[in-house]
Amino acid sequence: MKTILTGLRSNSMLTIGNYLGALLPMVRLAEKHSKDNHFNLFVPDLHSIISDVDGGDLQANILRNIKFYLAAGLPLNENVHIYRQSHVPAHSELCWILNCTATMGELNRMTQYKEKGEGKASVNVGIFDYPVLMAGDILLYSATYIPVGEDQFQHIELARNLAERFNNRFGETFVVPATTREQVEFMGMSDGIRIRDLMNPEKKMSKSTAAENSKIMLDDAPAKAAKKIMSATTDSIGKIKFDMWNQPGISNLLQIEALVTDTPLQDVISTWTGETRYGELKKKVAASVSGMLEEFQARLAEISDAEVYELLEKGEKYANEVAAKKLLDAQRAVGLR
Ligand code: TRP
């Protein structure tokens, strides 16, 4: 059995763009692969504290984050393991060992670190070391596939390099994760679908946009979400065509409809191409989106904290067993045991 592993990062409420573009695809991957592979979904809470977080909020966010995946339909079979990084001490310990093989030069080259540190007088060491902790997250479980967004590819590449370097120096210890190309193939990359901002469809929908009507949040009342779709920016061309360049607003609506109703985009496009009544399209998309939110929110409300804690207890028992073994291998290899 191979291991597929990913970190469920999310420190705030999500938009339907995050839901449709990241969360649901992950749930689909789990549905597809968890019968004959381990599927580890963990909360990288040690990574979360590289920026200031209020303790209470972090706990609430962790719970909510896991509930989102459950409400989205994450399969819960014996191969799906949900755990919190900070509840598996081997992550911190392996991080230190890997720190002693990683170089300042390679961490200095990490794009995310450069972006986060840009223009700041002082940057905490956690931000700098973040990719090494992440490499440990992956190597502890001998994960082969690590479905993540493109912004994380560089970190996966680092995990591969550290694993190979360690193996060469101290003997075969870690499974080297698949190459970026293999990762992309495995994920069947969501053809770069990005839900756009409803008011400014040239931009990606973002949870940090101030304008309320630009984005639909997962906790928006369904009727409110429908209104936002009805007032979405379109164009004055007057004929529906999937054309991101000239008709980004209309194209965005077609994409949302395809994703929400789980219909191939091509089918949605052929249904609507040539139609002249934008209002009809908006009404259809508004109904689809509000229906989806209603269902999602109903499922979310049914998941109790106790249920999540029970899953975590089970997941963390499994994770500690697997991780402790691999950590011991690494400790032996470098001579600490
Ligand atoms: N860095 C990832 C992100 O920002 C989260 C993460 C932490 C992760 N550790 C990981 C993802 C290990 C995959 C594997 O999204």
Side-chain angles (χ1 to χ4, degrees), residues 301-316:
E302 271 172 25
I303 305 165
S304 69
D305 290 2
E307 206 173 313
V308 177
Y309 283 122
E310 206 173 295
L311 284 169
L312 285 172
E313 198 176 318
K314 218 172 84 223
E316 282 157 11

Side-chain angles (χ1 to χ4, degrees), residues 55-72:
D57 272 1
L58 180 56
Q59 287 304 312
N61 283 340
I62 290 170
L63 266 187
R64 189 179 58 188
N65 190 356
I66 296 170
K67 285 184 184 178
F68 281 162
Y69 281 84
L70 300 178

Side-chain angles (χ1 to χ4, degrees), residues 88-204:
V88 185
H91 288 250
S92 308
E93 295 187 45
L94 184 60
C95 178
W96 180 258
I97 294 178
L98 294 175
N99 272 339
C100 300
T101 67
T103 68
M104 300 286 285
E106 65 193 340
L107 295 189
N108 259 320
R109 284 196 295 276
M110 295 290 129
T111 312
Q112 206 173 40
Y113 161 68
K114 285 198 276 196
E115 281 168 2
K116 288 211 163 147
E118 195 128 70
K120 294 217 178 96
S122 155
V123 180
N124 74 55
V125 178
I127 291 181
F128 183 66
D129 202 30
Y130 180 108
V132 180
L133 180 60
M134 178 162 165
D137 299 338
I138 295 166
L139 302 181
L140 276 176
Y141 302 90
S142 309
T144 302
Y145 295 111
I146 302 109
V148 285
E150 260 170 72
D151 64 331
Q152 297 298 314
F153 288 175
Q154 203 185 17
H155 295 159
I156 307 283
E157 214 37 64
L158 177 76
R160 285 172 44 77
N161 289 336
L162 293 183
E164 275 170 1
R165 190 175 309 155
F166 190 100
N167 289 348
N168 286 336
R169 211 173 278 173
F170 303 108
E172 277 311 307
T173 307
F174 296 118
V175 170
V176 180
T179 61
T180 303
R181 174 197 284 259
E182 291 163 335
Q183 304 283 354
V184 170
E185 244 166 64
F186 173 79
M187 285 187 272
M189 257 336 222
S190 54
D191 14 17
I193 290 192
R194 292 253 158 86
I195 301 295
R196 310 294 184 102
D197 181 300
L198 296 175
M199 302 273 85
N200 303 293
E202 305 75 27
K203 296 193 314 191
K204 194 181 125 185

